[in-house]
Amino acid sequence: MGKRGSRSQSQLLNTLTKKQKKHLRDFGEEHPFYDRVSRKEAKPQICQLSESSDSSDSESESESEPEQVSGYHKLLATLKNVSEEEEEDEEEEEEDSIVDDAEINDEGGGSDVSVEEEMAAEATESPENVPLSADPEGKEDGERPPGTSQASPGEFTDAKHESLFSLETNFLEEESGDNSSLKASQDPFLQHVNKELKEKEIQAVATNPKTTHELKWPILGQLVFSSKFQKLETFKPPKDIDLKSLHLQKPLESTWTKTNSPFLSGPQKPSSPFTPLQKELFLIMNSYRDLFYPENTALKNGEEIRHVYCLHVINHVLKANAQVLGNNSRRRSQKFGVGDDDDFRDQGLTRPKVLIVVPFREAALRVVQLFISLLEGDSKKKIIVSNKKRFQGEYGSDPEERPPNLKRPEDYEAVFVGNIDDHFRIGVAILQRSIRLYAPFYSSDILIASPLGLRTIIGGEGEKKRDFDFLSSIELLIIDQADIYLMQNWEHVLHLMNHMNLLPLDSHGVDFSRVRMWSLNNWSKYYRQTLLFGALQDAQINSVFNKYCVNMQGQVAVRNVPMTGSISHVLVQLPHVFQRMEAENLASVIDARFNFFVNKILPQYRDAVMSHTLIYIPSYFDFVRLRNYFKKEELNFTHICEYTQKSGVSRARHFFLQGEKQFLLFTERFHFYKRYTIKGIRNLIFYELPTYPHFYSEICNMLRATNRGEEATWTCTVLYSKYDAQRLAAVVGVERAAQMLQSKKNVHLFITGEK
């Protein structure tokens, strides 16, 4: 009887959803409403309860025997006996089956129409989650890549190692207490944090014009040094570099060479610990200037740059913590009197010192692995890493999850590798040679998070549960792969920057006698170093660097101009017509582009002869505006955007290929996340120049996917204005772009790509 009863209970348990199980575990009863997370309705299950539980009056309840337990209480006991590993597996299976009901899909339903074999493999493809700028709240309830975990209000934090990693109760060990680099007057770290600004200098920042100076370095190229403070100092990289002159904290001098060894092969001298690119980047980082490097690509130098900024992060954290622990030892020995309290000001209002913003969990995994490698090196003694197994399970990925028959460009494979969940945040505490993963934010030295993960905890005005005090004392901010955030939700980045280095609303147990004076004066933003890495020059990224980076040491931006544009990679014989539109100011560009397209461009393509026209639209807002206009005018069109379901994508591609739909509205972010080859294109219209220059050649080369001897009728039209100078130069080259922008009239240029 017992075995049969337990079998029926387990069968009923398997029919419950995750939320029903959680409610049953927390409250001991079934929730009155069933929360259906799949489109298939679950079959009703009959639970056999005892006769005493069928009665609802108070008498039967009071007279019932205490040992008689309801069926759901038996299920509750069974649920609590489930191991934690089984619960995690069930959660992952449940999350894989979640369907985003809030997707914008006007063509939902219906059967799939397969156009290519790749559509069959897309059912298991990873890049599904696309947070939009049109969704400022950053809703994360869409489909998630398999094997990933979603951050929640009850996310795991390590509470066991609080005292072990506490800066207040620990002291500098004698064996590792050689902090001669900290005592050196030439140490860039000490020079930066000990420099005291005056009230007059802070007040003058708002009115001082920005002074700039240009220099050309051998590898980085054209650099622009700028500062709003009075003194603007520039420097050139030395030919040779010595690790001792960089003031690296132990054990980095010995571990860096081995960690960086994959990039030191080839013509590079074995004695040099840096590649030429790493050497120039680290010299700028180590001077504590703000840096904007827009040539960081995942395919070429992404890992090389990640290595060098992780070295800078660990070096900064080890020095800062060594200073605190050393002062703890000095205070304990009571060598100084009460009047010397200012000598112990060595920290901020909160403990987190470094914030690293990365787009995906895979990037966070690689950063933590580099931290471990930099602290461990080739030492036989392994460092202590708490919660390492859990971290690898939540941030790692299974190579077999990715279908082997998908063919995508190399840059796509480099960006979307591993676990591409974009909602996460994790605290990391480092004490001497030990690492604590999943540390509470206010007990962490380093925070690694995505923009979406930070937005959900920072919250917005009017929300009851929000917290951004942990950003108050960030001394080093690294924004890696900034161009990807343009494809996710740039509003999250702006929201983060608006909450950086604000005075905290709570003290969080800080010892104010140890807080630096410039932190108490709310001048932390003038001491914060910001490192901004991206793959392209973009107006929105430039705006963040110019507006929010006010480091007193100055700013350094790499400003290399593209001599040859991506149009040189177009492989089809295609006339490119660039039509210039006029706009009075930057705010009126959006309306001017729409009116120019509707009145000048679209009438040329209304004729049935101009069928198979693909309209490439970078902005989702412009896409919605055009879609509504096409519906209002009852034009024969279909559309594909990042919210379109697979069935809608298949139908749209089929209708466009067969000529049943004359126009296809196609968003840039769909192309970024999918990279489908759209067949049947004869006419191309770029409503706006692409964000990524190589997308221009990729879209143009799609015309050869269906070559039926119609090359003579192919057309390509591009809309641009004087405010698109950067994107235009990246597509056609800087010289040709300058000629096009100098002409005030509408210019028609016919450019034939090379075969």
Side-chain angles (χ1 to χ4, degrees):
M1 182 66 182
K3 292 183 179 179
R4 189 178 304 172
S6 61
R7 188 182 297 113
S8 62
Q9 292 170 6
S10 62
Q11 291 176 354
L12 180 57
L13 179 62
N14 293 333
T15 62
L16 299 179
T17 64
K18 185 177 70 174
K19 288 187 177 180
Q20 290 173 352
K21 292 176 184 177
K22 185 176 183 300
H23 191 277
L24 183 62
R25 181 171 61 248
D26 294 343
F27 300 100
E29 61 181 5
E30 182 188 12
H31 196 281
F33 298 101
Y34 289 90
D35 189 7
R36 290 188 172 89
V37 296
S38 64
R39 295 179 179 175
K40 296 181 180 180
E41 295 187 1
K43 296 181 180 180
Q45 300 288 336
I46 300 175
C47 181
Q48 297 292 338
L49 304 178
S50 59
E51 295 181 358
S52 61
S53 62
D54 294 337
S55 176
S56 60
D57 58 313
S58 59
E59 272 188 42
S60 61
E61 290 177 0
S62 61
E63 294 176 1
S64 60
E65 297 180 357
E67 47 270 293
Q68 291 182 349
V69 185
S70 66
Y72 266 97
H73 280 78
K74 294 179 181 179
L75 285 178
L76 177 63
T78 307
L79 185 65
K80 289 183 177 179
N81 291 332
V82 178
S83 65
E84 293 182 359
E85 295 180 358
E86 292 176 350
E87 287 181 354
E88 292 178 0
D89 294 339
E90 289 172 0
E91 289 177 3
E92 291 177 354
E93 292 174 4
E94 289 289 339
E95 288 177 355
D96 291 345
S97 65
I98 293 178
V99 178
D100 189 1
D101 295 331
E103 288 182 340
I104 302 174
N105 179 28
D106 294 334
E107 298 180 13
S111 59
D112 291 359
V113 180
S114 179
V115 180
E116 300 179 60
E117 293 181 358
E118 64 181 0
M119 294 301 295
E122 288 301 326
T124 56
E125 189 177 3
S126 315
E128 293 291 336
N129 184 35
V130 187
L132 294 176
S133 58
D135 177 18
E137 295 302 320
K139 295 180 181 178
E140 62 278 0
D141 54 352
E143 295 182 2
R144 293 281 163 180
T148 61
S149 62
Q150 180 176 326
S152 62
E155 58 188 304
F156 171 76
T157 54
D158 180 16
K160 297 180 180 179
H161 303 88
E162 189 68 26
S163 59
L164 180 63
F165 286 85
S166 174
L167 289 179
E168 290 78 11
T169 58
N170 283 279
F171 304 92
L172 195 64
E173 296 180 3
E174 294 182 0
E175 56 185 8
S176 61
D178 183 13
N179 59 341
S180 58
S181 62
L182 285 177
K183 298 178 181 179
S185 60
Q186 297 180 351
D187 186 357
F189 169 78
L190 282 181
Q191 289 180 350
H192 180 67
V193 298
N194 292 338
K195 185 176 181 179
E196 295 183 3
L197 290 174
K198 299 179 180 179
E199 185 73 27
K200 295 180 179 180
E201 294 178 299
I202 300 298
Q203 294 176 353
V205 169
T207 57
N208 284 346
K210 180 178 287 188
T211 56
T212 61
H213 184 74
E214 294 187 4
L215 282 179
K216 189 171 183 179
W217 284 22
I219 305 300
L220 293 179
Q222 197 70 25
L223 300 186
V224 178
F225 289 78
S226 61
S227 176
K228 277 199 169 185
F229 290 84
Q230 292 182 355
K231 294 183 180 180
L232 175 61
E233 299 179 358
T234 61
F235 65 97
K236 290 186 178 181
K239 294 183 179 179
D240 298 325
I241 189 170
D242 184 15
L243 281 178
K244 295 182 179 180
S245 64
L246 297 177
H247 301 275
L248 294 180
Q249 188 76 354
K250 289 185 177 182
L252 298 180
E253 289 186 9
S254 59
T255 60
W256 167 246
T257 304
K258 181 182 179 182
T259 303
N260 199 43
S261 59
F263 303 103
L264 299 180
S265 59
Q268 182 66 26
K269 296 180 181 180
S271 59
S272 178
F274 296 93
T275 65
L277 175 63
Q278 288 177 334
K279 181 183 73 172
E280 296 187 4
L281 287 175
F282 188 76
L283 285 173
I284 298 175
M285 294 179 189
N286 206 32
S287 67
Y288 281 90
R289 289 172 170 86
D290 294 331
L291 171 64
F292 174 37
Y293 183 69
E295 300 174 11
N296 173 28
T297 59
L299 185 61
K300 295 181 180 180
N301 55 10
E303 282 301 309
E304 183 181 356
I305 294 173
R306 181 177 287 123
H307 274 64
V308 73
Y309 77 63
C310 284
L311 170 66
H312 182 53
V313 167
I314 293 295
N315 189 39
H316 179 85
V317 171
L318 289 179
K319 287 182 179 181
N321 287 351
Q323 188 180 33
V324 174
L325 298 179
N327 285 339
N328 288 348
S329 301
R330 292 168 59 195
R331 295 186 70 177
R332 183 177 60 174
S333 60
Q334 297 180 353
K335 291 182 180 180
F336 294 85
V338 181
D340 298 321
D341 284 345
D342 285 346
D343 295 337
F344 301 111
R345 295 192 179 274
D346 50 17
Q347 52 195 274
L349 291 167
T350 54
R351 180 172 174 177
K353 309 171 186 65
V354 180
L355 173 61
I356 303 177
V357 183
V358 289
F360 304 121
R361 285 180 182 258
E362 174 67 19
L365 174 67
R366 296 186 181 188
V367 167
V368 172
Q369 288 174 343
L370 281 174
F371 289 167
I372 297 174
S373 178
L374 285 170
L375 292 176
E376 200 169 68
D378 54 356
S379 175
K380 295 181 180 179
K381 185 178 179 181
K382 300 295 182 181
I383 65 171
I384 301 173
V385 182
S386 61
N387 307 303
K388 184 178 180 180
K389 184 176 180 181
R390 183 188 188 100
F391 175 76
Q392 291 176 342
E394 293 186 357
Y395 285 76
S397 62
D398 186 0
E400 297 181 356
E401 293 175 354
R402 205 170 176 81
N405 58 340
L406 288 180
K407 295 181 180 180
R408 296 290 185 270
E410 292 181 352
D411 66 292
Y412 178 92
E413 297 292 347
V415 171
F416 295 104
V417 64
N419 190 335
I420 59 166
D421 180 23
D422 64 350
H423 185 201
F424 62 91
R425 51 183 177 265
I426 184 173
V428 180
I430 296 178
L431 196 64
Q432 296 173 359
R433 299 194 66 177
S434 302
I435 297 180
R436 178 191 185 191
L437 302 177
Y438 296 97
F441 269 25
Y442 292 98
S443 301
S444 303
D445 297 303
I446 305 170
L447 306 178
I448 308 174
S450 65
L452 179 59
L454 290 171
R455 176 60 190 263
T456 53
I457 192 173
I458 293 174
E461 291 188 19
E463 296 183 15
K464 294 182 179 179
K465 293 184 178 180
R466 56 179 312 206
D467 185 15
F468 49 86
D469 288 353
F470 57 88
L471 300 173
S472 62
S473 299
I474 295 296
E475 301 168 0
L476 177 57
L477 170 63
I478 298 176
I479 302 178
D480 197 7
Q481 296 177 279
D483 54 288
I484 295 181
Y485 310 138
L486 296 172
M487 300 292 110
Q488 292 179 343
N489 193 329
W490 190 250
E491 293 294 329
H492 295 338
V493 178
L494 298 179
H495 194 70
L496 167 65
M497 299 306 296
N498 286 326
H499 289 82
M500 290 296 301
N501 298 115
L502 301 179
L503 287 176
L505 303 178
D506 190 11
S507 62
H508 300 283
V510 66
D511 181 2
F512 287 98
S513 65
R514 301 287 296 272
V515 179
R516 298 187 179 97
M517 291 305 300
W518 50 262
S519 186
L520 293 173
N521 292 334
N522 196 21
W523 294 348
S524 297
K525 64 180 179 180
Y526 301 111
Y527 288 80
R528 185 192 75 231
Q529 182 186 26
T530 303
L531 306 178
L532 188 58
F533 301 101
L536 48 88
Q537 296 270 8
D538 187 83
Q540 297 181 82
I541 302 176
N542 290 336
S543 175
V544 166
F545 185 74
N546 295 330
K547 181 179 179 181
Y548 295 99
C549 298
V550 289
N551 189 346
M552 64 175 179
Q553 302 289 355
Q555 293 76 41
V556 180
V558 179
R559 302 294 187 192
N560 295 320
V561 293
M563 300 307 296
T564 58
S566 62
I567 196 172
S568 61
H569 299 139
V570 177
L571 304 177
V572 296
Q573 295 292 337
L574 180 66
H576 305 260
V577 182
F578 289 81
Q579 296 205 14
R580 173 169 175 163
M581 61 175 191
E582 297 297 335
E584 295 180 359
N585 49 56
L586 185 60
S588 62
V589 169
I590 297 176
D591 292 332
R593 179 179 289 109
F594 177 78
N595 294 329
F596 184 83
F597 175 80
V598 170
N599 299 325
K600 300 290 182 65
I601 305 299
L602 189 58
Q604 305 174 19
Y605 291 85
R606 283 180 178 266
D607 197 326
V609 179
M610 304 295 289
S611 61
H612 297 271
T613 300
L614 183 142
I615 304 176
Y616 181 90
I617 311 170
S619 170
Y620 181 77
F621 297 108
D622 290 334
F623 164 78
V624 173
R625 189 175 187 179
L626 285 179
R627 184 190 63 188
N628 295 340
Y629 178 81
F630 275 49
K631 286 182 178 180
K632 180 182 177 181
E633 295 294 321
E634 297 182 352
L635 296 176
N636 184 21
F637 81 102
T638 184
H639 61 83
I640 299 177
C641 73
E642 51 270 34
Y643 281 135
T644 308
Q645 291 181 350
K646 294 183 179 69
S647 59
V649 173
S650 298
R651 286 196 306 276
R653 297 174 69 186
H654 174 76
F655 293 153
F656 185 71
L657 175 62
Q658 300 301 324
E660 298 180 28
K661 300 291 184 181
Q662 182 179 355
F663 296 97
L664 172 61
L665 303 182
F666 189 78
T667 64
E668 182 174 69
R669 273 191 280 187
F670 178 84
H671 182 67
F672 175 79
Y673 280 97
K674 295 298 183 184
R675 303 292 179 91
Y676 288 172
T677 298
I678 305 299
K679 294 184 177 180
I681 305 175
R682 298 178 189 173
N683 304 290
L684 264 177
I685 300 177
F686 285 90
Y687 187 79
E688 186 181 358
L689 285 161
T691 303
Y692 288 90
H694 64 276
F695 282 4
Y696 184 87
S697 57
E698 285 185 9
I699 299 296
C700 290
N701 290 332
M702 287 183 185
L703 275 74
R704 61 177 180 169
T706 51
N707 191 349
R708 300 176 181 176
E710 301 162 344
E711 296 89 342
T713 61
W714 288 348
T715 65
C716 177
T717 303
V718 185
L719 278 65
Y720 76 98
S721 70
K722 63 180 180 180
Y723 299 104
D724 299 324
Q726 285 184 335
R727 294 188 181 186
L728 185 64
V731 171
V732 301
V734 62
E735 294 182 1
R736 185 173 289 150
Q739 296 174 1
M740 296 169 64
L741 292 172
Q742 286 176 1
S743 177
K744 296 182 180 180
K745 297 180 180 180
N746 292 340
V747 180
H748 295 243
L749 295 180
F750 296 89
I751 305 168
T752 304
E754 299 178 359
K755 229 174 186 176

